[in-house]
Amino acid sequence: MNVVTVKTKEEMSATASKLIVDKLRQKPELVLGVATGGTPIGTYEEFVDRVKQEELDVSSMRTVNLDEYVGLPRDHEESYWHYIYTHLYKPLKLPVENAFVPDGLSRDLEAECNRYEEAIESLGGVDLQLLGVGRNGHIGFNEPGTPMDSRTHVVELTESTRQANARFFNDIEEVPTQAITVGISTIMKSRSILLLASGQEKCAAVEALLDGKVDIEWPVTILNGHPDVTLIVTEDAYCSDKEDDHA
């Protein structure tokens, strides 16, 4: 694992965006796995700026969302389809057919999960998966205890997750109770993984990861078994007393 320690969240975003741009130069038809939430917003902003400044052609890039709420239409401002459209597709004027997002309105959610797995496979898999990590070590909506061999599946959102996401809604009652999320084994099939962690509240999750052991109660630790992971972590989230010898 390549561990890159930075001082600020802004530096984390700039470093991550450069890595994505480098991958895009190597492969213009890059399949990018995209995370949502607050952590990667700065990365998307930096990426958009770099693409515009360097006049890069991103028209062949495809994106694969990690997750989507069940019950929210695409045009809902808190849907994750709307999120990636707002932060990536709209500013870069990308063709929306290049955005792959689970259908949270599907009448058959199990079939939708299978369809989404097949869609990822039809793209040839994810080249670079961008991830954030929850304070309890969750990746995507894969909470502690999620089987490490899980594929795309429907999850019941925990009360703590709904509380954490309530800030994006008018009231916690508006926060969906379910979501579709890419499973842990599907994440592990990505050719490269870029994990972002910032803030003191992520300290325990980062420590668990850098301990080097795989623990089902800390889903992020599964990344210890992946051959190509880069962790970009701010100093306030990097609480381990170990040296950066995890590469």
Side-chain angles (χ1 to χ4, degrees):
M1 184 181 300
N2 179 30
V3 180
V4 181
T5 306
V6 296
K7 292 184 180 296
T8 66
K9 189 173 182 180
E10 290 74 21
E11 188 179 352
M12 176 190 74
S13 298
T15 304
S17 67
K18 182 181 183 303
L19 192 151
I20 298 171
V21 166
D22 289 346
K23 289 283 187 181
L24 187 63
R25 284 201 181 94
Q26 296 170 17
K27 186 176 182 180
E29 66 278 13
L30 184 76
V31 178
L32 178 65
V34 288
T36 53
T39 299
I41 289 178
T43 298
Y44 297 136
E45 291 174 347
E46 289 278 350
F47 177 73
V48 168
D49 287 345
R50 283 179 180 270
V51 167
K52 289 181 177 180
Q53 290 170 8
E54 300 177 29
E55 298 182 346
L56 297 174
D57 181 7
V58 293
S59 61
S60 296
M61 182 182 74
R62 279 77 50 82
T63 62
V64 174
N65 265 52
L66 265 179
D67 37 40
E68 178 60 286
Y69 285 121
V70 169
L72 293 189
R74 279 188 168 188
D75 59 359
H76 191 289
E77 63 181 12
E78 296 304 333
S79 77
Y80 289 149
W81 190 97
H82 188 271
Y83 175 102
I84 205 62
Y85 174 76
T86 300
H87 294 296
L88 209 57
Y89 279 77
K90 184 178 180 180
L92 289 178
K93 299 179 180 179
L94 295 173
V96 293
E97 58 267 24
N98 286 4
F100 290 76
V101 185
D103 181 5
L105 293 180
S106 175
R107 294 184 178 182
D108 188 336
L109 294 177
E110 183 176 351
E112 174 59 17
C113 291
N114 292 331
R115 183 203 67 80
Y116 200 61
E117 281 282 335
E118 292 170 0
I120 295 172
E121 291 177 7
S122 73
L123 293 172
V126 172
D127 294 307
L128 175 63
Q129 177 64 61
L130 181 63
L131 291 176
V133 58
R135 63 183 64 196
N136 64 356
H138 74 252
I139 48 178
F141 275 126
N142 295 291
E143 297 286 353
T146 301
M148 295 299 189
D149 62 353
S150 60
R151 289 159 48 94
T152 301
H153 59 285
V154 177
V155 295
E156 298 288 336
L157 299 181
T158 64
E159 186 61 23
S160 62
T161 295
R162 294 183 71 235
Q163 288 282 357
N165 291 348
R167 67 188 188 277
F168 300 116
F169 294 81
N170 294 322
D171 186 272
I172 191 171
E173 295 303 320
E174 295 182 8
V175 182
T177 59
Q178 292 182 312
I180 295 173
T181 189
V182 169
I184 293 175
S185 71
T186 309
I187 290 172
M188 289 293 284
K189 291 178 182 177
S190 306
R191 294 178 183 85
S192 299
I193 293 175
L194 175 57
L195 177 66
L196 308 181
S198 67
Q200 190 173 8
E201 68 275 11
K202 305 298 178 66
C203 179
V206 171
E207 286 244 44
L209 173 65
L210 295 182
D211 189 51
K213 300 175 183 177
V214 176
D215 182 352
I216 194 171
E217 293 305 318
W218 293 93
V220 70
T221 62
I222 189 66
L223 301 184
N224 282 306
H226 194 282
D228 187 0
V229 177
T230 297
L231 166 64
I232 305 178
V233 55
T234 58
E235 289 180 346
D236 58 352
Y238 185 47
C239 309
S240 175
D241 58 4
K242 301 178 178 63
E243 298 295 327
D244 286 1
D245 58 357
H246 306 280

